């Protein structure tokens, strides 16, 4: 925002800073989920590729579902920023 109104500019700047901080929380959650998926499937061994794929996908989906719940809880706690 570019304005001659110093109060409006200050308010907008505070809003952007808070929004950025909030979204960085979502980013951290996403990174955590990715690490959890990677750690969970790194040492999987199955008899067939199809079994390995199915199990890895199930684990990945479960971790993503958990991350989505964490994001929703985070939004509630922070009132979306």
């Amino acid at each position: 925002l570019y304005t001659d109104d110093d109060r409006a500019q200050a308010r907008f700047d505070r809003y952007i800073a808070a929004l950025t901080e909030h979204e960085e929380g979502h980013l951290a959650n996403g990174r955590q989920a990715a690490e959890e998926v990677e750690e969970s499937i790194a040492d999987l061994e199955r008899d067939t590729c199809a079994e390995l794929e199915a199990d890895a996908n199930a684990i990945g989906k479960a971790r993503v579902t958990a991350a989505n719940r964490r994001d929703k809880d985070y939004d509630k706690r922070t009132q979306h920023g």
Side-chain angles (χ1 to χ4, degrees):
L1 175 68
Y2 299 102
T3 179
D4 292 332
D5 183 338
D6 291 340
R7 285 181 33 202
Q9 184 68 52
R11 202 166 104 200
F12 182 78
D13 290 346
R14 285 190 305 274
Y15 165 77
I16 289 297
L19 178 62
T20 299
E21 182 179 340
H22 175 80
E23 292 305 316
E24 286 173 352
H26 286 296
L27 175 62
N29 184 41
R31 286 182 173 156
Q32 177 185 347
E35 289 173 10
E36 290 172 357
V37 170
E38 187 174 343
E39 290 171 2
S40 297
I41 66 173
D43 296 324
L44 278 183
E45 292 183 19
R46 299 296 183 263
D47 291 333
T48 67
C49 290
E51 290 172 348
L52 180 62
E53 179 181 16
D55 288 350
N57 283 335
I59 290 168
K61 287 177 184 179
R63 297 295 186 267
V64 169
T65 297
N68 288 340
R69 279 195 303 271
R70 285 194 305 263
D71 270 339
K72 287 179 183 179
D73 291 344
Y74 175 71
D75 280 336
K76 283 182 183 178
R77 280 193 324 275
T78 64
Q79 298 178 353
H80 293 271

